[in-house]
Amino acid sequence: METVTIVGYLAAICSMTSFTPQAWKIIKTRDTSSISAPMYALTVLGFALWLAFGLLKAEWPIIITNGVCLILSAFILMMTVLPGAKKEAIADAIDPTGRGSDTKS
């Protein structure tokens, strides 16, 4: 395998997994108070545009990587802007053992 391909795969893995810890922390704590909604909105837009670019060029590595990143960053954005009760319901559906309703919104 060529070095450039290995670097590309490593970059894709890092990009796709970089949002996972934040998403999981939100699910566990239900706390999004320190997350910037405008920054995540811009991030979501960026991934949507990269996904469109990949689709237009029919480049599967770009499509898959940015599709996964779009889903994860959109989830974080959604959890940031949702009211507390809806955020709790989604987090409880994903992780019923989470902190529950005794947390900050």
Side-chain angles (χ1 to χ4, degrees):
M1 189 175 303
E2 291 184 33
T3 302
V4 69
T5 302
I6 293 170
V7 170
Y9 281 128
L10 291 173
I13 290 168
C14 289
S15 293
M16 289 187 292
T17 59
S18 68
F19 292 95
T20 306
Q22 184 68 65
W24 188 247
K25 183 178 180 183
I26 291 168
I27 292 165
K28 294 304 271 184
T29 67
R30 278 69 164 163
D31 180 21
T32 58
S33 61
S34 64
I35 294 176
S36 169
M39 187 281 283
Y40 265 90
L42 190 56
T43 300
V44 167
L45 177 61
F47 284 128
L49 292 170
W50 272 113
L51 178 59
F53 175 77
L55 289 167
L56 291 168
K57 294 193 58 86
E59 296 282 344
W60 283 104
I62 295 171
I63 294 167
I64 293 168
T65 302
N66 289 287
V68 170
C69 289
L70 175 61
I71 290 166
L72 289 170
S73 62
F75 172 79
I76 293 168
L77 176 62
M78 177 188 68
M79 292 296 278
T80 301
V81 299
L82 279 176
K86 289 186 179 183
K87 184 186 318 181
E88 289 286 339
I90 291 169
D92 284 341
I94 295 170
D95 180 27
T97 64
R99 289 182 40 193
S101 61
D102 64 337
T103 62
K104 295 189 269 182
S105 295

